[in-house]
């Protein structure tokens, strides 16, 4: 056991809570696996008037979460194989990277392809041809001057960093975000909540590393994240609650106390209480229950009926975030010396899928 672990972490993460978090994660990943067909790119993925939010965005979010969990779970953990399988599925949807080249030719200054691609690249799934094309565009003044909100721009810089294109714009951008300005805690609301979680995700490469959090920001989070987490839980904002829990899991334990750790542990009991038996988690209270069934029927070949599509849209992101936040929480407790349910080192090499990891040169 590590001797420098924060006492609050160990005292407020008893075995039963740890098992609860593990169960939430396993059930969520099971639901995502059974419903993977909903993440598949359709015929409109390359259409100029296609709905990016309904095609590339969900696939990229699946890749982002699985890329992190594949690093944060040891190969000996049964869930490691599950997330690697989902990641391989998502990569195949892109033609093993070839579709990024096509999107690049159609929309050279769109940033979303790079952001989606970077998630794969961080897991070792790369397409040299696309990276060359992206590097050429990223070197232009037009790309650097693309007008975006600071939080979104941080996401683009995170993506550039993940494929080896480095710039030093992050400190200036961080100061212009809600979290970077160290706001009054009572100004927290849904929009600012999603903004702050994504600032943290971008600075930490979604829990995989990155430049990490400046000291002042880490201290602000250590002080106020428990209150923000409780706010989300009491408001029935389960999707945002999971994102805030993921942020809490990454706050340096040296700066937190027993209350912080107890609130994080308590949050998982409440999240587990609203998770459907199928493993899906609703985005928030008050959604149409009939559209998000407690048990979904998955047709043959992992497909889904037309009637289940709306239910998927209402809970896929919150279910992804439940799996993501649970994984990061378990890593936090493991690092504090809490026994793991499965053996293996956290820093063990990650096995790559059996499918090829690089596409053509495009």
């Amino acid at each position: 056991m590590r001797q420098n672990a924060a006492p609050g972490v160990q005292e407020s993460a008893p075995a039963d809570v740890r098992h609860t978090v593990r169960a939430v994660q396993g059930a969520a990943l099971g639901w995502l696996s059974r419903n993977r067909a909903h993440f598949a790119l359709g015929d409109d993925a390359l259409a100029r008037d296609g709905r990016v939010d309904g095609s590339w965005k969900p696939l990229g979010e699946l890749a982002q979460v699985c890329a992190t969990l594949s690093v944060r779970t040891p190969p000996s953990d049964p869930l490691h194989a599950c997330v690697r399988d989902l990641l391989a599925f998502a990569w195949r949807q892109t033609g093993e990277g070839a579709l990024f080249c096509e999107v690049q030719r159609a929309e050279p200054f769109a940033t979303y392809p790079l952001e989606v691609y970077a998630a794969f690249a961080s897991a070792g799934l790369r397409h040299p041809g696309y990276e060359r094309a992206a590097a050429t565009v990223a070197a232009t003044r037009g790309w650097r001057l693309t007008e975006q909100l600071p939080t979104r721009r941080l996401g683009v810089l995170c993506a550039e960093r993940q494929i080896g294109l480095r710039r030093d714009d992050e400190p200036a951008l961080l100061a212009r975000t809600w979290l970077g300005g160290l706001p009054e805690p009572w100004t927290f609301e849904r929009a600012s909540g999603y903004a702050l979680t994504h600032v943290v995700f971008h600075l930490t490469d979604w829990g995989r590393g990155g430049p990490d959090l400046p000291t002042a920001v880490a201290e602000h989070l250590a002080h106020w994240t428990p209150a923000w987490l409780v706010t989300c839980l009491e408001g029935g904002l389960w999707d945002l609650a999971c994102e805030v829990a993921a942020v809490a899991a990454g706050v340096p334990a040296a700066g937190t106390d027993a209350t912080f750790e107890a609130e994080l542990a308590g949050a998982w009991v409440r999240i587990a209480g609203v998770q459907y038996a199928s493993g899906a988690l609703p985005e928030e209270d008050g959604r149409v229950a009939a559209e998000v069934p407690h048990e979904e029927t998955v047709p043959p070949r992992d497909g889904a009926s037309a009637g289940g599509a709306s239910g998927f849209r209402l809970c896929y992101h919150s279910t992804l975030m439940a799996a993501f936040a649970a994984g990061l929480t378990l890593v936090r407790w493991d690092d504090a010396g809490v026994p793991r349910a499965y053996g293996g080192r956290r820093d063990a090499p990650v096995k790559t899928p059996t499918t090829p990891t690089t596409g053509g040169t495009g």
Side-chain angles (χ1 to χ4, degrees):
M1 180 179 294
R2 285 172 45 176
Q3 298 302 310
N4 59 345
V9 177
Q10 296 182 46
E11 292 170 2
S12 57
D16 59 337
V17 176
R18 194 191 195 293
H19 290 316
T20 294
V21 179
R22 173 73 183 193
V24 168
Q25 184 187 31
L29 287 172
W31 185 89
L32 293 166
S33 294
R34 295 193 305 275
N35 288 275
R36 70 179 65 192
H38 284 306
F39 289 100
L41 293 178
D43 295 336
D44 64 341
L46 298 177
R48 290 184 179 274
D49 58 349
R51 291 182 59 254
V52 173
D53 285 353
S55 57
W56 286 99
K57 182 175 181 288
L59 187 72
E61 291 164 341
L62 177 67
Q64 196 74 266
V65 166
C66 289
T68 294
L69 294 181
S70 69
V71 173
R72 293 302 189 179
T73 55
S76 57
D77 188 328
L79 294 185
H80 180 87
C82 177
V83 297
R84 291 303 300 187
D85 185 53
L86 282 169
L87 189 59
F89 163 81
W91 183 237
R92 290 194 298 271
Q93 289 299 307
T94 72
E96 297 178 351
L99 287 187
F100 290 108
C101 293
E102 295 189 40
V103 177
Q104 177 80 8
R105 284 191 286 268
E107 301 180 80
F109 289 94
T111 59
Y112 74 86
L114 179 66
E115 293 174 86
V116 174
Y117 175 81
F120 292 108
S122 70
L125 302 171
R126 310 189 76 137
H127 190 288
Y130 172 71
E131 292 194 21
R132 287 196 298 271
T136 298
V137 173
T140 66
R141 291 190 297 276
W143 175 272
R144 294 196 301 272
L145 297 173
T146 298
E147 296 186 13
Q148 294 174 308
L149 292 173
T151 301
R152 179 67 190 281
R153 197 62 183 168
L154 276 177
V156 175
L157 293 183
C158 173
E160 291 181 355
R161 183 174 62 248
Q162 288 172 336
I163 69 169
L165 304 176
R166 296 183 177 274
R167 294 217 308 273
D168 297 323
D169 301 344
E170 287 171 335
L173 277 173
L174 175 60
R176 293 167 51 204
T177 65
W178 186 83
L179 177 62
L182 307 181
E184 299 86 352
W186 51 265
T187 62
F188 176 90
E189 55 185 358
R190 185 197 298 256
S192 56
Y194 280 111
L196 87 84
T197 59
H198 282 72
V199 165
V200 173
F201 297 160
H202 298 327
L203 289 178
T204 61
D205 284 353
W206 290 79
R208 297 185 292 269
D212 220 336
L213 304 173
T215 300
V217 171
E219 291 176 349
H220 199 68
L221 288 171
H223 198 71
W224 295 113
T225 299
W228 294 334
L229 181 56
V230 170
T231 296
C232 295
L233 295 169
E234 292 182 347
L237 302 176
W238 307 113
D239 182 66
L240 183 54
C242 286
E243 290 204 8
V244 175
V247 167
V251 174
T256 64
D257 56 17
T259 299
F260 181 103
E261 306 301 339
E263 293 290 0
L264 176 58
W268 282 108
V269 176
R270 298 184 66 170
I271 291 169
V274 297
Q275 186 179 36
Y276 296 125
S278 66
L281 186 75
E283 285 189 353
E284 59 185 78
D285 284 345
R287 307 312 289 262
V288 181
E291 292 188 82
V292 190
H294 287 240
E295 283 290 357
E296 83 281 58
T297 300
V298 182
R301 293 185 300 172
D302 258 31
S305 63
S310 60
F312 175 83
R313 288 193 295 270
L314 288 174
C315 60
Y316 88 85
H317 188 269
S318 42
T319 306
L320 275 172
M321 289 300 101
F324 176 64
L328 294 183
T329 299
L330 293 173
V331 169
R332 179 185 186 84
W333 292 343
D334 288 347
D335 287 347
V338 178
R340 289 198 290 271
Y342 297 93
R345 290 171 54 85
R346 288 282 165 186
D347 56 355
V350 176
K351 295 180 181 178
T352 55
T354 55
T355 53
T357 58
T358 57
T361 55

